[in-house]
Amino acid sequence: MRSVKLAVYALCRAVGLFRLAAWWTRDTLKILCYHGFALADEARFRPKLFITPAVFEQRLATLRRYGVRVLGLDDAVERLYAGTLPPRAATITIDDGFHSVRTLAAPALARHGLPATVYVTTYYVDKGTPIFRLVLQYMFWKTRRRELRLSNVAWSPDAVIDLTDADARERALWACIDYCEARCSEDERVAVCEQLGAGLDVPYQDIVAQRLLHLMTGEQLRELDALGIDVQLHTHRHVFPSDDEARARRELEDNRAALSALLGREGFVHFCYPSGLWDERQWAWLDAAGVRSATTCLGGLNTRATPRHALARILDGENLHPLEFEAALCGFSDLLRSLVRRGA
Ligand SMILES: [Zn+2]
């Protein structure tokens, strides 16, 4: 199915439809979305979440080829609603604040002279440990062991997990994540990672030494800030519940306070919903907190009619074929989707 789609894309591109789409959608704002940049094998582990430096470099070259004008987020949002966007405007956003944003993305962006915004979730910046649930998923993905032996752990009734059974493997993984996230301190979670890493033969110390699945340190965030890469809000604990206003507000306040303390400045007024989960009733909470824009994980292009707290993005990762990225960037895939919807 995907090969058919790619063949259609290649044909449409060859006859000039991509260029036509880029012209047709020239007045929209395209917001690109990235997460992590692969230091080792993370792009094979989570191709939607990570991108290799080589593919990211190709993407930046594609932006140049299409004559895309990359603006800073604040400027882009203001001009979108003022109706003063330049043609072919885009902005680059990066979610979460992975370590590799500083070491891989920032130098690439600097080489191309492009601005970007990083939405930083601050809990793991403070802790300095890798993201717990991601580390466990990585270990279970990477292991070549056929079974995992456990000695008396609270989260599993079984002493041996058959890792060749995909269901059993998944059940054990999530039982561990759910139990530890609900009941353990960060130190206890680290101990669990060390034990599981040994049992799965994916040493936790190696993950830490390479800074895989880690967020940036405070020092690295300050370096980004000094390089002119914009740092913005993504909640403190990566949650923004739509049914608990007090907690959602606290998440924003804690995130802002942590960023202010780290960077010694204010001005955090752009937000990205964690995990792309959002609800219209949250818009008033964002307004009350002085947030000027919020991006979602909805795919698509933005016009003046797009609500400022429901901005759509182009989600890029190693999973996208260069043709799929190009189709999204020039607005072709979006036009095709609306044509199909209209025809249906
Ligand atoms: Zn996120």
Side-chain angles (χ1 to χ4, degrees):
M1 189 59 206
R2 191 178 184 210
S3 57
V4 173
K5 178 176 148 189
L6 291 177
V8 171
Y9 277 178
L11 182 68
C12 292
R13 183 182 187 271
V15 300
L17 292 183
F18 277 25
R19 291 272 168 196
L20 187 65
W23 175 81
W24 187 261
T25 62
R26 67 194 180 283
D27 293 332
T28 63
L29 174 65
K30 287 140 186 171
I31 306 179
L32 301 180
C33 165
Y34 294 91
H35 289 85
F37 301 82
L39 297 158
D41 52 3
E42 305 99 301
R44 277 194 286 126
F45 160 56
R46 280 293 146 84
K48 285 186 184 171
L49 198 61
F50 289 92
I51 192 164
T52 53
V55 171
F56 186 55
E57 193 65 40
Q58 284 171 18
R59 303 301 206 234
L60 299 182
T62 305
L63 294 181
R64 179 165 298 184
R65 210 167 55 244
Y66 272 91
V68 172
R69 279 278 300 278
V70 181
L71 307 175
L73 177 68
D74 192 68
D75 190 25
V77 167
E78 290 313 307
R79 291 170 76 173
L80 171 67
Y81 294 108
T84 57
L85 273 183
R88 300 175 185 227
T91 187
I92 298 174
T93 62
I94 306 171
D95 295 8
D96 303 324
F98 281 97
H99 166 82
S100 51
V101 174
R102 173 65 192 95
T103 57
L104 299 175
L109 290 162
R111 272 196 305 280
H112 289 262
L114 297 175
T117 290
V118 186
Y119 296 114
V120 178
T121 182
T122 31
Y123 175 88
Y124 281 105
V125 174
D126 286 348
K127 293 291 172 194
T129 49
I131 298 170
F132 176 70
R133 57 167 55 197
L134 216 46
V135 170
L136 287 199
Q137 291 172 70
Y138 178 74
M139 286 173 166
F140 273 78
W141 167 80
K142 196 174 167 76
T143 186
R144 293 292 166 259
R145 289 267 166 96
R146 301 178 63 81
E147 61 174 33
L148 171 65
R149 293 187 170 274
L150 300 166
S151 56
N152 228 353
V153 296
W155 51 269
S156 171
D158 307 317
V160 180
I161 311 291
D162 176 5
L163 297 170
T164 61
D165 175 344
D167 288 342
R169 190 177 168 129
E170 207 59 14
R171 259 199 316 277
L173 166 65
W174 284 99
C176 182
I177 291 174
D178 291 343
Y179 180 88
C180 294
E181 285 188 347
R183 301 193 188 201
C184 297
S185 67
E186 196 57 41
D187 286 347
E188 288 165 338
R189 288 183 205 146
V190 166
V192 168
C193 288
E194 284 170 346
Q195 280 163 8
L196 279 179
L200 293 166
D201 194 25
V202 183
Y204 180 67
Q205 300 84 296
D206 291 357
I207 292 170
V208 172
Q210 295 176 81
R211 304 284 300 167
L212 303 186
L213 316 173
H214 285 64
L215 298 188
M216 284 178 277
T217 61
E219 183 59 38
Q220 287 178 313
L221 278 177
R222 285 188 285 279
E223 289 168 8
L224 269 200
D225 205 44
L227 286 169
I229 293 186
D230 184 31
V231 174
Q232 293 293 342
L233 303 165
H234 195 38
T235 74
H236 187 58
R237 296 166 196 81
H238 210 260
V239 284
F240 195 60
S242 58
D243 58 353
D244 188 342
E245 182 179 352
R247 193 165 165 223
R249 282 184 185 241
R250 199 165 61 241
E251 279 299 327
L252 276 180
E253 285 161 15
D254 290 352
N255 193 203
R256 222 176 220 158
L259 290 176
S260 293
L262 288 165
L263 300 178
R265 66 170 178 87
E266 305 294 324
F268 306 105
V269 292
H270 297 284
F271 177 68
C272 169
Y273 297 98
S275 310
L277 301 174
W278 60 279
D279 188 286
E280 239 175 84
R281 83 187 103 162
Q282 294 168 322
W283 298 357
W285 311 346
L286 292 171
D287 284 333
V291 171
R292 293 213 287 264
S293 81
T295 48
T296 67
C297 290
L298 289 176
L301 316 176
N302 301 286
T303 68
R304 276 176 97 170
T306 309
R308 62 169 61 230
H309 292 326
L311 292 168
R313 294 192 290 177
I314 294 170
L315 308 181
D316 193 13
E318 194 77 4
N319 61 314
L320 284 197
H321 186 279
L323 273 172
E324 290 173 310
F325 175 72
E326 224 173 295
L329 181 70
C330 66
F332 180 78
S333 46
D334 205 68
L335 288 176
L336 200 62
R337 256 199 309 274
S338 45
L339 278 177
V340 169
R341 259 203 308 271
R342 216 166 289 173

